[in-house]
Amino acid sequence: MIVDQAIYCGGVRETITGDISEAFNAARARGDSFLWIGLHDPSQEEFDLITHEVKLHPLAVEDAIHAHQRAKLERYDDTLFVVLKPLLYDRESSDIEVGEINLFLSKDFVISVRHGQAAPLKAVRRRLEADPGLLAAGPSGVLYVICDQVVDDYGRITHEIESDLIALERRVFSGQYADATEDIYSLKREVLEFRTAQDPLIPVLEEIVKGRVELCSATREQFRDVLDHLLRVDAQVDEHNELLTSALTAHLALTGREQNKVAMQQNADMRKISSWAALIAVPTMIAGIYGMNFDHMPELHWVIGYPLALVVMAVAVVVVFRLLRRSGWL
């Protein structure tokens, strides 16, 4: 749907009172103004109203309606088509939601098509309308402010990710065994999603800064500042990715060490249990033999038979105990 539409002339906003066709004609007639129409998740029918007035390339229109594009800049005659990937960070779940902003820019119009909840453009409009100098730059100024807003959001999200990363590192090295593998993988996946959104934007801004986009020639210095911020964010994201890899490796190593400790303790317990079973087995064997109640058994009627059997049991237990103690089993 169309969320906002206005004509900007000499740094001043003028609300559109008629239909879109009249607004386009008015912007073209003045020569020093441009029309900005903002859409959010438009349908094909809604977008047809726009394409009826301006000849947009069918491939760019298809990309703008269906979204799921990477950040890019393409030229279609005298129209620029720019795709940006804004991000929204959910502090509760540490999830990153990726949105999309598609921009059609010419000397007398800007058409912004936004998908998802990330990076609403109301704040961008307010910032532009409060700065007549930027508005005087025309569609180039609009593109600059939107890019600046998207990159600033990237910077804020990197700090949020850094906080989550520090919390994960504390869990890993806390000394208390707790499986954090799933959480590390989850945060690493969010970082990779972040990189997928922001990495392709670097060549887009470099193209503008190098002066290869004529429409943005008046704002090259501003775009250079945005590119500098984006490169700083890119370096931070790379550091976060490397730290997550190191944290995962350390966690797996510590987990393996804890599991080895448990296994060693279990082995020690089993040896002790086996040793005590061996100690009990010797007197049990002797008692079992003389408990079979056969009539003809040697030493069965000895007077010293009972105490002798007890002594043999005791000596055998002591000998086995000393052997087990010497071998380290007890």
Side-chain angles (χ1 to χ4, degrees):
M1 63 178 177
I2 298 177
V3 294
D4 201 354
Q5 50 187 345
I7 294 177
Y8 295 92
C9 182
V12 179
R13 173 188 173 111
E14 296 181 9
T15 304
I16 297 175
T17 55
D19 58 20
I20 294 177
S21 179
E22 293 176 355
F24 272 108
N25 292 334
R28 289 164 181 159
R30 294 182 181 182
D32 60 344
S33 61
F34 69 94
L35 174 67
W36 183 2
I37 299 176
L39 301 98
H40 184 210
D41 290 326
S43 64
Q44 181 68 57
E45 292 74 16
E46 290 171 332
F47 211 84
D48 285 343
L49 296 174
I50 306 298
T51 55
H52 179 71
E53 298 300 328
V54 289
K55 302 302 181 181
L56 303 177
H57 197 280
L59 292 178
V61 172
E62 182 180 356
D63 289 346
I65 293 176
H66 298 291
H68 304 299
Q69 303 297 312
R70 65 198 301 269
K72 61 182 179 179
L73 183 152
E74 295 177 343
R75 299 174 180 86
Y76 296 100
D77 296 328
D78 59 346
T79 302
L80 280 182
F81 178 59
V82 182
V83 179
L84 304 174
K85 305 294 286 188
L87 301 176
L88 181 65
Y89 187 78
D90 187 343
R91 294 181 180 178
E92 296 296 327
S93 62
S94 298
D95 289 338
I96 294 177
E97 178 185 341
V98 182
E100 187 168 317
I101 299 175
N102 300 272
L103 297 168
F104 296 89
L105 303 107
S106 185
K107 61 181 181 180
D108 53 8
F109 68 82
V110 175
I111 300 170
S112 58
V113 184
R114 188 167 63 91
H115 296 273
Q117 300 303 315
L121 298 181
K122 289 183 178 179
V124 172
R125 281 187 182 265
R126 287 196 296 268
R127 176 181 170 185
L128 273 169
E129 291 167 3
D131 190 338
L134 277 177
L135 272 178
S140 175
V142 175
L143 179 60
Y144 156 67
V145 176
I146 294 176
C147 289
D148 190 46
Q149 178 67 42
V150 169
V151 173
D152 283 348
D153 289 341
Y154 288 170
R156 283 190 286 271
I157 292 173
T158 55
H159 292 305
E160 297 285 354
I161 293 175
E162 185 175 1
S163 299
D164 291 340
L165 179 54
I166 291 172
L168 269 177
E169 286 180 328
R170 288 174 179 169
R171 282 181 58 190
V172 169
F173 297 104
S174 64
Q176 299 178 351
Y177 175 71
D179 190 6
T181 306
E182 185 176 350
D183 292 334
I184 295 175
Y185 267 116
S186 177
L187 187 57
K188 190 173 180 65
R189 185 174 60 250
E190 298 303 322
V191 169
L192 291 176
E193 193 170 9
F194 191 128
R195 294 183 67 179
T196 302
Q198 61 95 25
D199 271 354
L201 184 57
I202 295 175
V204 170
L205 294 179
E206 287 177 340
E207 191 83 355
I208 297 173
V209 169
K210 291 176 182 177
R212 297 171 182 170
V213 182
E214 183 179 355
L215 183 66
C216 301
S217 57
T219 51
R220 282 178 59 192
E221 294 300 321
Q222 288 88 338
F223 277 106
R224 182 176 287 110
D225 182 65
V226 176
L227 177 60
D228 181 62
H229 291 171
L230 182 59
L231 291 175
R232 194 180 311 154
V233 168
D234 185 60
Q236 290 174 333
V237 173
D238 285 340
E239 291 174 1
H240 293 163
N241 189 48
E242 292 177 5
L243 284 172
L244 280 168
T245 300
S246 300
L248 180 59
T249 303
H251 175 66
L252 293 176
L254 292 172
T255 300
R257 189 178 70 178
E258 290 297 326
Q259 291 175 343
N260 288 336
K261 286 182 179 179
V262 172
M264 291 174 63
Q265 184 62 44
Q266 289 176 342
N267 288 337
D269 293 341
M270 287 300 299
R271 287 195 300 180
K272 289 181 179 180
I273 293 171
S274 300
S275 299
W276 287 110
L279 290 174
I280 296 172
V282 175
T284 301
M285 180 189 67
I286 297 173
I289 291 173
Y290 283 93
M292 291 188 292
N293 297 322
F294 290 110
D295 290 334
H296 303 288
M297 291 183 67
E299 301 92 21
L300 189 61
H301 299 289
W302 283 12
V303 176
I304 63 170
Y306 176 67
L308 181 61
L310 293 179
V311 170
V312 171
M313 290 181 187
V315 171
V317 168
V318 170
V319 171
V320 173
F321 179 82
R322 291 179 65 85
L323 291 173
L324 292 173
R325 174 60 66 87
R326 185 178 299 174
S327 66
W329 280 52
L330 283 175

